[in-house]
Amino acid sequence: MSIRIDKEKCNGCGLCADICPGNLIKMVGEGKNRKAEMAYPDECWGCMSCVKICPKHAIEFYLGDDIGGQGTSLIAEANHREIDWTACRKGCILEKIITSRQEANKY
Ligand code: SF4
Ligand code: SF4
């Protein structure tokens, strides 16, 4: 269980590195070549903060075979009202889920 960063999509903004509570993401390179890199994949506990904050949708949360995820990945497209989650496996969309930011965390 960890994240994967698509360096082609990454614009080097650094938001993911700033928000990761474990400081697991490092920024490497300078200028246009500045990119996010997952430095400690074994340490990721899947809080999804980086996935949700990335403005370029460059980060996917990867559910590996080791936890029964069969390579499924989750990507998120967030705006101020909701987050659209998409679960994919081998390039195919398995499920789409929309969560409301206003209604989330209400018990
Ligand atoms: S938040 Fe997204 S675009 Fe910004 S540095 Fe991280 S991966 Fe790149
Ligand atoms: S999912 Fe959470 S712990 Fe894992 S890299 Fe992203 S922000 Fe860090």
Side-chain angles (χ1 to χ4, degrees):
M1 173 172 77
S2 184
I3 58 162
R4 286 196 298 212
I5 300 171
D6 184 335
K7 290 192 174 178
E8 293 296 315
K9 293 181 181 174
C10 175
N11 67 3
C13 69
L15 290 173
C16 56
D18 289 343
I19 204 167
C20 177
N23 290 324
L24 307 179
I25 302 171
K26 303 299 176 196
M27 300 306 298
V28 296
E30 301 289 332
K32 286 184 177 177
N33 293 321
R34 182 175 135 98
K35 303 286 180 182
E37 188 172 281
M38 181 45 154
Y40 307 100
D42 293 344
E43 306 288 326
C44 174
W45 57 87
C47 71
M48 299 282 192
S49 298
C50 60
V51 178
K52 289 187 285 187
I53 205 167
C54 177
K56 303 299 285 181
H57 316 306
I59 305 177
E60 61 181 327
F61 186 71
Y62 181 70
L63 301 165
D65 279 339
D66 54 333
I67 60 163
Q70 300 177 343
T72 302
S73 62
L74 272 177
I75 57 171
E77 291 187 36
N79 59 44
H80 68 284
R81 288 192 306 120
E82 61 192 24
I83 304 171
D84 294 2
W85 297 94
T86 304
C88 301
R89 188 184 302 147
K90 294 179 180 170
C92 297
I93 294 175
L94 299 177
E95 191 158 359
K96 281 180 171 282
I97 301 165
I98 298 174
T99 53
S100 163
R101 285 181 180 269
Q102 278 75 38
E103 300 301 318
N105 300 322
K106 286 185 178 174
Y107 297 97

